[in-house]
Structure formats: structure tokens, C-alpha cells
Amino acid sequence: MARSFSQLAINAEKQRTSIAISKNPLEKPELEIHTLGNSVLRKPAKRISKVDANIRDLVKKMLHSMYSAKGIGLAAPQVGIHKQLLVIDLDIENPTTPPIILINPEITGYSASIETYEEGCLSIPGVYLNVIRPSSIKLNFRDEMGRPKKLNPDGLLARCIQHEMDHLNGVLFVDRVTNLEDLKKELKENGFNNKDVMPIQ
Ligand code: NI
């Protein structure tokens, strides 16, 4: 997920992690982020059966790509890897806040309350549009050591996790935009094709 211009700085929930990398941008990160129109973004991701050093290596590479693009969330399919893996960091300016690593995330509950919020995506650079989603969720996942975890996020973290989890199913936030006039205009202005949107019915 890309940061919206209107977004206030929000502190991420601090969490212990064994993944420690610099948040400084790299000139050319190893994993390229694919953009709207590339079919890799539409392919669903598979569960990770074993959380090992290879997965942690992939996490580091994804973090480098995310930080280099100044994003706050990245899903593995965005770098062409169809595994159920997300990296999130809502506090990218602060070098001491660890990222959140979500492996095989599963949403087990949604709040009845919904919220409208302006989203962006590293795969659709420059496009920022309102999306309606549940304001909080319940989540099961594994961390980067394979340990089962639970989380009940709200606010920006709940928003970001839902956005990134959509990527695991080949869904992009533009598919959920309800203001089709704004959608068409924003896509055109940023060099994207409206035909690459697959509206959620
Ligand atoms: Ni995205």
C-alpha cells in the first residue's frame, strides 16, 4: 500500500521481530514491483508450508523493495512471487520500529462498522482513491519464525492488512472503488488503463 497524502503519521504496533534491515532506500532493489496491467498481480498466492531461512530471505528482499518505494505495505504477488506473505510498516520514517510480517494470514472476523479511506498502491503509483472497508478485523497468521499469532487491528493497520490480503487473491484496490468517474480519471492521469480493473460485484 502506498501512503496517502492526507494520511497522518500513526505509530505501528510494536512487535518483536528477528528481521532487522535498514529502512534506507536502495537504488535498485532486487525484487521489482509489478504494476497494474501485469497479469502476475491477478494470480492467487499459495500457502507457505514451511517458514524457513528462504522465507526470511524473501521477507528481507520484499522489505528493501517496499522501503525503496516509500510504501507501508507489500504483498509477495506484487514482486511476482505467489506465496501468502505480506510485509507492513506504518512507521517507515522511524528506523527503530520493526516491520510486521504476516505469513498465511486469515481473516476470522470483520467489524460491522465500515470506513471510507483514501488508498494507494505501489503497483498503481500515483493513484489515490476512496475505498470502503470494515473498520476492524480479527486475524490469524504466522510470524517470520512460523509461530501462530492473533491480531485484532483497527485504523490504518486494519486497512493496510485488508488491502495487502486482497493482493493474495489477485484483487487490487481499484477493483473496490465505487466512484467510477474518479477512478477513470485518476487511472488515465497516471498512465493506467481502465480495462485492467476487475470490479468486485
Ligand atoms: Ni497494493
Side-chain angles (χ1 to χ4, degrees):
M1 186 159 151
R3 284 187 300 177
S4 156
F5 296 118
S6 59
Q7 186 186 302
L8 300 169
I10 296 171
N11 283 324
E13 193 178 317
K14 307 248 166 160
Q15 165 175 312
R16 278 182 190 283
T17 173
S18 62
I19 309 278
I21 68 152
S22 159
K23 298 189 184 184
N24 295 331
L26 300 180
E27 206 176 301
K28 204 175 182 311
E30 191 176 325
L31 299 176
E32 187 197 341
I33 300 172
H34 301 294
T35 53
L36 178 66
N38 190 321
S39 60
V40 296
L41 296 175
R42 296 304 189 176
K43 196 177 147 190
K46 293 206 166 90
R47 284 179 70 81
I48 293 173
S49 52
K50 190 164 182 261
V51 181
D52 57 13
N54 290 331
I55 295 295
R56 287 186 285 278
D57 191 51
L58 174 59
V59 166
K60 284 184 192 174
K61 288 175 183 167
M62 283 176 58
L63 286 169
H64 281 307
S65 295
M66 182 184 80
Y67 290 133
S68 300
K70 300 275 176 209
I72 58 171
L74 185 68
Q78 291 180 272
V79 293
I81 294 171
H82 294 91
K83 294 184 192 299
Q84 294 183 8
L85 168 58
L86 314 176
V87 297
I88 291 174
D89 188 342
L90 304 185
D91 200 17
I92 55 174
E93 311 296 345
N94 185 344
T96 61
T97 306
I100 298 169
I101 318 299
L102 303 174
I103 294 168
N104 300 337
E106 262 178 77
I107 295 178
T108 58
Y110 293 95
S111 62
S113 61
I114 55 169
E115 240 167 49
T116 301
Y117 192 86
E118 190 177 67
E119 295 186 22
C121 179
L122 295 179
S123 291
I124 318 169
V127 174
Y128 294 91
L129 290 160
N130 280 336
V131 179
I132 303 164
R133 297 190 193 265
S135 32
S136 66
I137 53 172
K138 283 185 183 166
L139 187 78
N140 290 340
F141 64 101
R142 287 186 184 266
D143 70 7
E144 67 283 356
M145 300 309 294
R147 295 173 292 215
K149 295 271 172 83
K150 284 183 196 294
L151 209 54
N152 297 321
D154 58 10
L156 182 59
L157 185 56
R159 172 65 55 159
C160 191
I161 290 172
Q162 291 177 80
H163 173 116
E164 300 309 335
M165 285 188 65
D166 270 351
H167 280 296
L168 301 181
N169 295 312
V171 173
L172 302 172
F173 87 94
V174 287
D175 303 341
R176 296 190 182 276
V177 169
T178 46
N179 187 330
L180 300 180
E181 214 166 288
D182 279 2
L183 174 62
K184 213 172 163 183
K185 186 167 161 280
E186 275 276 300
L187 288 173
K188 198 176 174 197
E189 278 176 12
N190 290 282
F192 293 104
N193 193 335
N194 198 44
K195 290 196 175 72
D196 291 320
V197 177
M198 296 170 71
I200 302 271
Q201 295 305 324

